[in-house]
Amino acid sequence: MCRVQLVGGIVERYPGSLPRDEALPYLTCLTHTVTDCRRADLMMHVQRCLRAFATHWGQIGAGITNHQATNLWNQVWMASLR
């Protein structure tokens, strides 16, 4: 949980500090976490981190193809709706 909070805080305050080659692995990990998450307190932190990623995606995900990003974001939204 601390790592999710830390990554979310870094992305919110310093979105340019996250290396672009690590954005896709982080988003993939968050996608799996939100899909498998059953605890409400952990889900709150994961969604806060995902919100930071979504807000600053233009700066973070500049080197990622639209197809890769679209698939992951669709998985995130579908898992969040459950």
Side-chain angles (χ1 to χ4, degrees), residues 6-25:
L6 182 64
V7 170
I10 289 172
V11 170
E12 281 181 15
R13 290 179 186 89
Y14 313 105
S17 67
L18 185 71
R20 290 186 177 159
D21 60 334
E22 292 183 15
L24 192 61

Side-chain angles (χ1 to χ4, degrees), residues 21-32:
D21 60 334
E22 292 183 15
L24 192 61
Y26 271 115
L27 187 58
T28 303
C29 181
L30 288 168
T31 301
H32 293 301

Side-chain angles (χ1 to χ4, degrees), residues 6-69:
L6 182 64
V7 170
I10 289 172
V11 170
E12 281 181 15
R13 290 179 186 89
Y14 313 105
S17 67
L18 185 71
R20 290 186 177 159
D21 60 334
E22 292 183 15
L24 192 61
Y26 271 115
L27 187 58
T28 303
C29 181
L30 288 168
T31 301
H32 293 301
T33 304
V34 78
T35 302
D36 298 335
C37 188
R38 301 284 181 242
R39 293 177 40 200
D41 58 334
L42 179 61
M43 181 61 94
M44 179 184 67
H45 296 295
V46 172
Q47 287 186 341
R48 184 176 296 152
C49 187
L50 284 167
R51 191 175 318 124
F53 266 78
T55 302
H56 300 289
W57 187 249
Q59 295 172 338
I60 297 170
I64 299 171
T65 64
N66 284 338
H67 179 69
Q68 291 173 321

